[in-house]
């Protein structure tokens, strides 16, 4: 069964929904709505990782996310904290988060892996080649799938060396991070290689530029609704490839896509997402 991770951005500048839910009460309400629509996990973030985004301090990040994490966890939601800062990860886990989603794979903050090792939380290690402001400068690969698999394997080893049991590690190939258009498609075509690594695999294609580039000559002409449809398609295909979870903004459309894909595959569960 592929899980759905719903995105809750508590930021003024995220590429898709920045500013909509910067107020804590609005963010919590949005998160509860996503859960009602079928989200299994909510990923709360207080720092945009869109291309060109500027960093924010851990203090600002925590001011944004901790009230949201706490309220959602108290409501019984499985919460993931989307952060590259060890101090934010520790505070969020204390507030009830059960997953630390680090888009840098533990590389941005040297204290992150040790912090996670001592916390009662799983960790997402994403493939990463630098901060958003200049990540495309490193989008050079001999073989993008083989290179990303190798670099993620190194992060799993680093996590183990820090004391994190491999059973707690989830890997994310980092669609859109340090990868240009076709490199993202090549990575998705190679999902079986990531699944074969033996870790749970998280995929996040939601509303990203490479989808817009596939839909329209000018990506600006690809509306949010069109990107959400493309996201649902890629999420269903990722589920068929065996990923553990998909990270999306539009939970309802993705759930419908997974239900239909599950029925196509012969699933007999009531929600259609088995198999």
């Amino acid at each position: 069964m592929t899980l759905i991770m719903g995105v809750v951005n508590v930021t003024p500048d995220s590429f898709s929904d920045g500013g909509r839910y910067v107020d804590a009460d609005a963010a919590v309400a949005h998160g509860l709505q996503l859960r009602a629509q079928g989200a299994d996990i909510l990923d709360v973030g207080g720092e945009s990782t869109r291309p060109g985004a500027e960093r924010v301090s851990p203090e600002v990040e925590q001011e944004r996310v901790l009230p949201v994490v706490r309220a959602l966890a108290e409501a019984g939601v499985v919460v993931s904290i989307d952060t590259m800062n060890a101090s934010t990860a520790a505070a969020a886990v204390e507030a009830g988060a059960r997953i630390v989603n680090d888009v840098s794979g533990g590389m941005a903050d040297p204290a992150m892996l040790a912090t996670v090792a001592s916390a009662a939380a799983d960790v997402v290690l994403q493939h990463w080649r630098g901060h958003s402001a200049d990540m495309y400068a490193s989008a050079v690969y001999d073989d993008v799938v083989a290179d990303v698999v190798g670099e993620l394997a190194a992060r799993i080893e680093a996590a183990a060396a820090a004391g994190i049991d491999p059973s707690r590690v989830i890997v994310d190939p980092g669609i859109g991070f340090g990868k240009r258009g076709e490199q993202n498609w090549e990575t998705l075509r190679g999902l079986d290689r990531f699944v074969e690594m033996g870790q749970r695999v998280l995929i996040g294609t939601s509303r990203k530029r490479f989808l817009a580039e596939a839909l329209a000559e000018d990506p600006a002409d690809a509306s949010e609704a069109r990107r959400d449809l493309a996201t649902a398609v890629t999420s269903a295909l990722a589920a068929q490839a065996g990923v553990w979870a998909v990270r999306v903004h539009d939970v309802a459309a993705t759930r419908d896509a997974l239900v239909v894909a599950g029925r196509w595959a012969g699933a007999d569960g009531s929600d259609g997402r088995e198999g």
Side-chain angles (χ1 to χ4, degrees), residues 108-183:
D109 187 335
M112 179 63 87
L113 295 182
T115 297
V116 172
S118 63
D122 290 351
V123 63
V124 178
L125 301 178
Q126 185 190 275
H127 178 257
W128 188 75
R129 283 191 169 183
H131 289 289
S132 298
D134 56 5
M135 64 180 172
Y136 290 130
S138 300
V140 180
Y141 301 88
D142 292 326
D143 178 322
V144 65
V145 174
D147 291 353
V148 174
V149 166
E151 290 169 34
L152 282 175
R155 300 316 302 154
I156 296 169
E157 291 178 2
I164 303 172
D165 190 281
S167 66
R168 293 170 56 194
V169 175
I170 301 152
V171 296
D172 182 341
I175 299 299
F177 286 81
K179 300 170 190 67
R180 299 188 183 276
E182 182 58 26
Q183 293 168 336

Side-chain angles (χ1 to χ4, degrees), residues 37 59-60 81 94 203 205 223-224 256:
Q37 292 172 345
E59 292 76 18
V60 169
I81 179 64
E94 186 175 351
I203 287 291
T205 63
S223 66
E224 184 176 290
D256 287 349

Side-chain angles (χ1 to χ4, degrees), residues 226-245:
R226 295 182 70 191
R227 292 190 189 207
D228 282 338
L229 177 58
T231 299
V233 173
T234 55
S235 296
L237 292 171
Q240 290 182 334
V243 306
W244 166 75

